[in-house]
Amino acid sequence: MEWCSINTCRVLVVSVVLLSYNMLLISSPAAAAATTDAQVEAEAETLRNSTWWWYMENTTSHHCTWDGITCNREGHVIQITYSRGYCRRCKLSQLKFSSFPSLLHLNLSYPLIYGRIPDEIGTLTKLTYLRISECDVYGELPVSLGNLALLEELDLSYKLLSGAIPSFLGYLKNLIHLDLGSNSLSSVIPSSLGNLTNLEYLDLSFNQINGSIPFEIGNLKNLVELSLARNSIVGAIPSSLGDLINLTEFNICGNKIRGCIPFEIGNLKNLASLDLSNNLINGKIPSQLQNLKNLKNLDLSHNKLSGHIPTLPIYRSMDLSYNDLEGHIPFELQLEHPPEVFSYNKGLCGEIKGWPHCKRGHKTMLITTIAISTILFPLFAVFGFLLLSRKMRQNQTKTPLKKNEKNGDIFSIWNYDGKIAYEDIIEATEDFDIKYCIGTGGYGTVYKAQLPTGNVVALKKLHGWERDEATYLKSFQNEVQVLSKIKHRNIIKLHGYCLHKRCMFLIYKYMERGSLFGVLSNEVEALELDWIKRVNVVKSIVHALCYMHHDYTLPIIHRDISSSNILLDSKLDAFLSDFGTARLLHHDSSNQTVLAGTYGYIAPELAYTMVVTEKCDVYSFGVVALETMMGKHPRELFTLLSSSSAQSIMLTDILDSRLPSPQDQQVARDVVLVVWLALKCIHSNPRSRPTMQHISSRLRTQLPFLETFHGISLWLLNTQEI
């Protein structure tokens, strides 16, 4: 076959020769050194002229040693991380991106960064990681972003970006992580996103996106998490969603989705969380949901679903409220879930207290009942005869009941207002004698009681005058509501409660060692709470809050996390308690509230915004974590961190001096890790605090920096990026 003409071939040969000659020139050591030195100097000059690193201005230190700058062996800048800035206000365009052609990693997450994303960012063609998040950046996404073909992670969340989601993002086929959440993006989801077949994480939540979900979303076979929550998306859920077999989380709550739930959703065998709430979805709940054996959280509330509830597995949390469902509630679901998850429907019925019993007057049911009775009557007659004979034999040898048998079991009783249970409590506490008092809670007195069954419990009793106070009564009811819904190994177990005319009380699992505050205040007990146990206390609080914030149907905000509300059992395992001020966080409301909490643990933004978010709990957790490591409240540390002397203060200077320094290397690393994370949690800007999910993940990893334990300063921990 003739590939080219003679003239064409001559041109190609000459071109190849010239290209080879130029490559030889460039690859020669002298030429390469000259090029490298010039480029390195240009990069250094750009950084020195920038106002971003003002503290390094007019210094002779090498730019590769600066905090947040990483270079390769040749001295080229390959990573810029600016999450804890050194300028009072940083304009994004001042950092000339074209000066860093070797840049691989760019992380700009600092609240005082502002401006538009410049077109010049498209010159960073080697970039694999780009994060410009949690800062005052606005405007539309530049078209030049489409040049970053090697990009694997793109995070432009928590800013003020506007305009449409550009279709050119579909050309970034190496993307694994795409987060555009919490912006002001509008228009539709471009179908070109279906080209991102390597994508594992996609978050477009909390924007102003309209239009429907493109059918091409089904092409993203590797997708693990998909969130389109809190937009204005219309149309139906595409059946192609069933092709996302690796999906573990799917959230489209707070949109205007219509149509039925596609039965293909039953193909998502790995799905752990499904939130379709607050939409206009109609039709029946597909029976295919019972195929989702790994599903833990299901929220179909605030829709227009109708028909009967199919037989479903027992989920960790479920909400079917505010629909048009009717008929019998499956008995297993009645036993495992509180009535609230079925409330505000058209005509649900069941056997649980407070629900109307299901009527059985339909003709078809009557015929079926008669037919079954005709067949089974002979069998029942024989069985009844045998049972009666056995009963008569037992009556002949029956012995009197023991005292503890007549009293019943308080642990199996919920919403109980019976005479026996009440008398048990009165007898066990001698009518709430002061000698059984073990403390005072936020809105009642706590007693220790041993029931006739032998079980020891703690009772929180609401006083008579408190029952007349709306605030205290609301706190009591709130704690019952929250603790009756959530079950977690690190959250105090509520055995039951009594709403008696004479008194009201809650019944908890008894905690032998009392509060964390009490243990840290006791010189002897504080020594028993060694470094390993203190780290485990912090981890237990993290697990509890992570469950409340991220694993429950709606996030639950505790609002009063303090060392007094962390209780310890006989093994010094920690449990979160006192949920009187807790509340469900509804993202579609203002979440404004009166100030609640314990002084010294309240997030600073609540003083002027009064808006409750998960980050309020994160702040309080940071204070408790530091208190656990320091052995006292860290109020003095807050003053030191804001002063210039922070650089000279070592970690060992603030740790509880009653304990010897940890000798085991892993224990020492865990202590450093806890303090490091706690310092991130007490950041004055809530957007700069990590989530409890992030903290939980970090606790399972190694430190990103290596220093000897006695050589670690507070300044290092406070400036090191999380």
Side-chain angles (χ1 to χ4, degrees):
M1 181 181 293
E2 187 175 349
W3 291 93
C4 59
S5 65
I6 294 176
N7 290 333
T8 305
C9 288
R10 287 174 178 170
V11 171
L12 286 174
V13 170
V14 172
S15 299
V16 169
V17 171
L18 289 174
L19 181 61
S20 301
Y21 178 73
N22 289 330
M23 291 297 293
L24 285 172
L25 287 176
I26 295 174
S27 61
S28 65
T35 304
T36 301
D37 291 344
Q39 182 58 48
V40 168
E41 184 55 38
E43 295 175 19
E45 189 64 22
T46 300
L47 291 174
R48 290 194 180 95
N49 292 335
S50 170
T51 59
W52 288 50
W53 280 269
W54 60 267
Y55 77 112
M56 300 299 298
E57 191 174 1
N58 298 324
T59 68
T60 58
S61 63
H62 197 280
H63 65 281
C64 291
T65 64
W66 294 7
D67 186 27
I69 301 296
T70 303
C71 300
N72 59 16
R73 292 181 178 179
E74 288 75 28
H76 294 296
V77 176
I78 59 172
Q79 178 172 334
I80 296 178
T81 300
Y82 203 92
S83 60
R84 215 161 173 77
Y86 296 98
C87 67
R88 305 185 190 283
R89 194 114 165 100
C90 310
K91 190 172 183 180
L92 195 57
S93 60
Q94 289 177 346
L95 193 64
K96 297 181 179 179
F97 298 121
S98 60
S99 300
F100 308 101
S102 301
L103 199 62
L104 304 176
H105 184 113
L106 178 60
N107 183 355
L108 306 177
S109 51
Y110 182 57
L112 294 183
I113 296 175
Y114 74 100
R116 296 176 179 270
I117 301 177
D119 291 333
E120 194 180 22
I121 201 166
T123 61
L124 305 177
T125 55
K126 294 183 179 180
L127 211 59
T128 60
Y129 178 99
L130 174 58
R131 182 187 181 198
I132 305 176
S133 178
E134 302 181 13
C135 46
D136 192 14
V137 173
Y138 52 85
E140 299 184 2
L141 294 175
V143 178
S144 61
L145 275 177
N147 298 337
L148 309 183
L150 300 180
L151 211 55
E152 296 177 1
E153 181 162 346
L154 177 58
D155 185 348
L156 302 176
S157 59
Y158 291 96
K159 295 194 299 302
L160 301 172
L161 295 176
S162 58
I165 300 175
S167 59
F168 63 71
L169 291 179
Y171 300 129
L172 307 180
K173 296 186 177 181
N174 288 305
L175 273 181
I176 298 174
H177 181 113
L178 176 58
D179 190 350
L180 301 177
S182 300
N183 280 289
S184 299
L185 297 170
S186 57
S187 191
V188 301
I189 302 173
S191 59
S192 61
L193 293 188
N195 299 330
L196 306 178
T197 53
N198 291 315
L199 206 60
E200 297 178 4
Y201 179 93
L202 177 59
D203 189 349
L204 304 177
S205 61
F206 291 90
N207 278 286
Q208 300 168 16
I209 301 169
N210 50 52
S212 58
I213 302 173
F215 188 83
E216 291 79 3
I217 203 81
N219 297 336
L220 309 180
K221 300 293 194 300
N222 291 309
L223 206 58
V224 176
E225 296 183 27
L226 173 60
S227 179
L228 307 175
R230 307 297 172 188
N231 281 286
S232 299
I233 300 173
V234 297
I237 302 172
S239 59
S240 61
L241 184 78
D243 296 332
L244 307 181
I245 56 175
N246 291 306
L247 204 62
T248 62
E249 294 186 22
F250 179 47
N251 188 347
I252 56 169
C253 74
N255 281 284
K256 300 176 182 178
I257 303 291
R258 296 180 179 271
C260 300
I261 301 174
F263 68 85
E264 289 87 354
I265 209 165
N267 299 335
L268 308 180
K269 302 296 178 60
N270 292 309
L271 204 61
S273 179
L274 176 62
D275 191 346
L276 310 181
S277 63
N278 289 276
N279 279 288
L280 303 171
I281 301 172
N282 54 27
K284 297 182 178 180
I285 300 175
S287 59
Q288 286 80 5
L289 287 184
Q290 62 186 328
N291 298 333
L292 306 180
K293 305 299 183 184
N294 292 314
L295 197 64
K296 295 179 177 63
N297 306 306
L298 174 66
D299 193 347
L300 304 179
S301 64
H302 293 84
N303 278 292
K304 297 182 178 297
L305 295 169
S306 58
H308 295 261
I309 301 175
T311 302
L312 297 173
I314 303 302
Y315 306 123
R316 181 189 298 169
S317 67
M318 181 178 71
D319 195 348
L320 304 179
S321 61
Y322 293 91
N323 279 288
D324 296 322
L325 299 170
E326 56 187 344
H328 181 261
I329 304 171
F331 189 68
E332 295 80 4
L333 298 182
Q334 297 182 48
L335 293 176
E336 292 295 328
H337 297 288
E340 290 83 1
V341 306
F342 307 107
S343 60
Y344 296 97
N345 275 283
K346 180 189 293 185
L348 289 176
C349 59
E351 292 76 30
I352 54 179
K353 184 178 180 180
W355 285 97
H357 291 285
C358 297
K359 298 179 180 179
R360 306 177 65 179
H362 295 295
K363 184 177 181 181
T364 54
M365 182 176 290
L366 180 61
I367 295 173
T368 303
T369 303
I370 294 174
I372 293 175
S373 300
T374 303
I375 297 172
L376 296 181
F377 179 77
L379 296 176
F380 285 138
V382 174
F383 179 74
F385 175 77
L386 294 175
L387 189 63
L388 181 60
S389 300
R390 181 181 179 186
K391 185 72 174 178
M392 292 175 65
R393 288 196 302 271
Q394 288 178 343
N395 287 339
Q396 295 174 356
T397 60
K398 187 174 181 181
T399 57
L401 285 172
K402 297 179 181 179
K403 180 180 179 181
N404 63 348
E405 289 177 341
K406 76 172 185 177
N407 286 276
D409 185 4
I410 190 67
F411 299 102
S412 63
I413 300 172
W414 282 89
N415 303 315
Y416 193 74
D417 191 24
K419 180 179 179 181
I420 297 176
Y422 179 74
E423 289 182 347
D424 284 344
I425 299 301
I426 294 297
E427 182 180 349
T429 61
E430 299 180 30
D431 199 9
F432 297 100
D433 191 282
I434 191 67
K435 67 183 179 182
Y436 295 99
C437 177
I438 57 175
T440 302
Y443 52 91
T445 303
V446 183
Y447 298 84
K448 177 183 177 181
Q450 183 171 358
L451 299 177
T453 58
N455 297 95
V456 178
V457 296
L459 306 169
K460 183 187 288 187
K461 176 179 176 289
L462 197 66
H463 299 125
W465 63 270
E466 290 172 334
R467 294 201 304 274
D468 298 329
E469 290 284 339
T471 302
Y472 290 109
L473 185 60
K474 176 64 177 176
S475 295
F476 181 92
Q477 295 170 338
N478 198 49
E479 184 150 9
V480 171
Q481 181 184 17
V482 173
L483 286 179
S484 62
K485 289 181 179 180
I486 58 178
K487 294 180 177 66
H488 190 273
R489 64 183 182 276
N490 298 119
I491 295 178
I492 190 72
K493 182 175 178 59
L494 179 67
H495 288 310
Y497 55 91
C498 185
L499 305 177
H500 200 274
K501 295 179 180 179
R502 285 183 57 187
C503 65
M504 301 169 64
F505 52 81
L506 307 177
I507 309 172
Y508 299 99
K509 179 182 177 182
Y510 177 63
M511 293 286 125
E512 294 83 354
R513 305 303 293 269
S515 69
L516 175 62
F517 175 80
V519 171
L520 292 175
S521 302
N522 186 293
E523 295 297 321
V524 176
E525 292 183 332
L527 291 175
E528 188 180 351
L529 196 66
D530 59 26
W531 293 121
I532 295 177
K533 291 184 175 68
R534 295 191 189 204
V535 169
N536 287 335
V537 165
V538 173
K539 288 182 177 180
S540 296
I541 305 171
V542 170
H543 296 327
L545 288 174
C546 193
Y547 167 77
M548 291 167 56
H549 289 184
H550 303 285
D551 294 338
Y552 196 68
T553 310
L554 285 175
I556 300 176
I557 312 303
H558 188 282
R559 298 174 65 205
D560 192 14
I561 298 168
S562 68
S563 57
S564 297
N565 290 335
I566 308 299
L567 301 182
L568 306 176
D569 64 7
S570 58
K571 299 178 182 178
L572 292 174
D573 292 332
F575 298 82
L576 187 58
S577 72
D578 208 335
F579 285 76
T581 58
R583 63 178 295 173
L584 295 172
L585 181 63
H586 295 273
H587 288 299
D588 56 348
S589 64
S590 66
N591 294 301
Q592 289 188 339
T593 181
V594 295
L595 187 63
T598 303
Y599 179 74
Y601 300 86
I602 302 173
E605 65 271 13
L606 284 178
Y608 53 87
T609 66
M610 304 299 288
V611 177
V612 177
T613 68
E614 297 98 325
K615 296 300 182 71
C616 300
D617 277 357
V618 172
Y619 180 90
S620 302
F621 159 76
V623 178
V624 172
L626 287 173
E627 183 176 358
T628 305
M629 295 295 113
M630 296 173 62
K632 60 181 180 180
H633 192 283
R635 56 178 59 87
E636 297 176 2
L637 180 63
F638 295 156
T639 305
L640 292 174
L641 288 175
S642 59
S643 66
S644 58
S645 61
Q647 297 190 28
S648 60
I649 301 174
M650 308 306 291
L651 170 63
T652 52
D653 295 335
I654 68 164
L655 294 178
D656 194 339
S657 59
R658 293 172 294 183
L659 293 180
S661 296
Q663 301 302 312
D664 183 83
Q665 188 175 16
Q666 184 57 51
V667 175
R669 287 177 177 174
D670 287 342
V671 171
V672 176
L673 186 59
V674 167
V675 175
W676 177 52
L677 292 172
L679 290 174
K680 304 305 173 187
C681 294
I682 62 171
H683 198 288
S684 58
N685 187 341
R687 298 176 68 180
S688 298
R689 298 172 201 153
T691 63
M692 294 310 303
Q693 203 169 44
H694 194 174
I695 295 169
S696 177
S697 175
R698 272 298 192 183
L699 283 173
R700 297 191 295 268
T701 61
Q702 293 293 331
L703 288 167
F705 51 91
L706 295 174
E707 292 283 345
T708 59
F709 182 76
H710 292 277
I712 297 176
S713 67
L714 283 186
W715 181 85
L716 173 65
L717 292 178
N718 209 25
T719 56
Q720 188 68 35
E721 178 191 5
I722 191 169

